[in-house]
């Protein structure tokens, strides 16, 4: 069983930056692809970014490509999402997901952290 806790959300001005963290307990993340999703008010949850187990490859939704980066530190059991040049449309609850299906494990979600982009 993996428990995920996101942190780092808050209020940021347009054009600003923010770092989200997702820290796991209960099991090492070394067997999990890590993903970030977000859900804006009145909208469905949508994919944002993913990073491989080793951290050597990543993929982003077109809406954040070039502005967001994803990284992980398996020694700290933590994955990060750096939000740069944020826009009001980035306002959402951001969730991390541990996806262990490739290694025959389950998938787990965190509880989310709110990001609000406003001047």
């Amino acid at each position: 069983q993996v428990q995920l806790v996101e942190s780092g959300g808050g209020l940021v001005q347009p054009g600003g930056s923010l770092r989200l963290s997702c820290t796991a307990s209960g099991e090492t993340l070394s067997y999990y692809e890590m993903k970030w999703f977000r859900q804006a008010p009145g909208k469905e949850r949508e994919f944002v970014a993913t990073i491989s187990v080793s951290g050597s490859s990543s993929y982003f939704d077109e809406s954040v490509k070039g502005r967001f980066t994803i990284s992980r530190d398996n020694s700290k059991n933590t994955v990060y999402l750096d939000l740069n040049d944020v826009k009001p449309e980035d306002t959402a609850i951001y969730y991390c997901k541990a996806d262990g299906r490739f290694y025959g494990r389950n998938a787990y979600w965190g509880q989310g952290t709110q990001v609000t982009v406003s001047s």
Side-chain angles (χ1 to χ4, degrees):
Q1 189 85 3
V2 175
Q3 293 81 42
L4 300 172
V5 178
E6 300 97 333
S7 61
L11 176 65
V12 58
Q13 294 185 344
S17 298
L18 206 62
R19 165 169 271 201
L20 307 182
S21 300
C22 173
T23 300
S25 60
E27 190 177 340
T28 176
L29 289 182
S30 298
Y31 298 104
Y32 293 85
E33 291 184 351
M34 296 300 298
K35 306 175 188 292
W36 286 94
F37 289 75
R38 67 185 181 185
Q39 187 167 18
K43 295 187 177 181
E44 294 187 354
R45 191 172 299 188
E46 63 179 13
F47 167 81
V48 175
T50 187
I51 188 166
S52 63
V53 168
S54 67
S56 61
S57 63
S58 58
Y59 180 79
F60 298 88
D61 182 77
E62 285 295 325
S63 64
V64 306
K65 191 175 293 184
R67 299 189 297 119
F68 291 8
T69 59
I70 187 171
S71 60
R72 65 191 297 163
D73 186 339
N74 286 343
S75 68
K76 295 181 179 180
N77 242 19
T78 299
V79 62
Y80 305 97
L81 185 70
D82 290 303
L83 288 62
N84 300 300
D85 189 25
V86 296
K87 304 175 181 181
E89 52 263 41
D90 294 322
T91 295
I93 299 174
Y94 283 72
Y95 299 89
C96 67
K97 179 182 180 182
D99 188 346
R101 290 174 295 175
F102 185 78
Y103 289 93
R105 287 168 162 79
N106 294 324
Y108 301 93
W109 290 90
Q111 85 292 342
T113 185
Q114 176 71 49
V115 172
T116 302
V117 182
S118 175
S119 55

